[in-house]
Amino acid sequence: VVPRQDRPNYLRLVAAADVLLDAPPYGAGANTLADAVACGTPVVTRPGAQHRGRWAAAVLRHAGLSELVAGSPAAYVAAAVRAARDEPHRRRAAAALRAFGADWFDAPAPAAELEAFWAGQAAAARGG
């Protein structure tokens, strides 16, 4: 267990890891997952019932890495062990995350959709 880190040291840990475990039931959260994508560090997840436990699964599937999304405790362990021990698999996953991140971080559509949503909510609140 490592104590809380400042941002540079935290990112060094994420980048140095072979694999990150998105531990049920909480989930990694948006920032941790985004940092893993930026660092090209594979994440293994087992989606939970709530949003916080499903975020990583959605991103990994969108990145084409469904094999890192486990449907059972046994599959979670198997995916984590494979990501930790199978270097070619880990390198492919890391490359896929970096390629995905290059587009994901610069995609203007999600921000434009969110802006349109909130503008619509504001207009509705004003009665327009």
Side-chain angles (χ1 to χ4, degrees):
V1 176
V2 176
R4 186 168 182 85
Q5 302 289 304
D6 62 15
R7 182 111 178 114
N9 285 322
Y10 156 76
L11 289 173
R12 279 194 265 297
L13 283 172
V14 171
D18 288 333
V19 61
L20 296 182
L21 302 178
D22 184 36
Y26 178 72
N31 290 340
T32 302
L33 187 64
D35 294 335
V37 169
C39 291
T41 302
V43 178
V44 174
T45 190
R46 182 170 167 246
Q50 299 173 331
H51 174 268
R52 67 180 184 235
R54 303 184 72 74
W55 176 249
V59 171
L60 291 168
R61 286 182 181 126
H62 195 65
L65 293 166
S66 293
E67 69 272 14
L68 298 176
V69 179
S72 70
Y76 179 82
V77 171
V81 169
R82 181 176 183 210
R85 290 187 177 169
D86 183 343
E87 188 172 343
H89 169 65
R90 185 172 59 251
R91 286 183 186 209
R92 281 190 302 274
L97 283 173
R98 284 189 295 273
F100 169 74
D103 293 331
W104 188 45
F105 292 125
D106 291 331
E113 290 170 14
L114 189 58
E115 179 182 18
F117 169 80
W118 286 116
Q121 295 299 306
R126 289 190 305 268

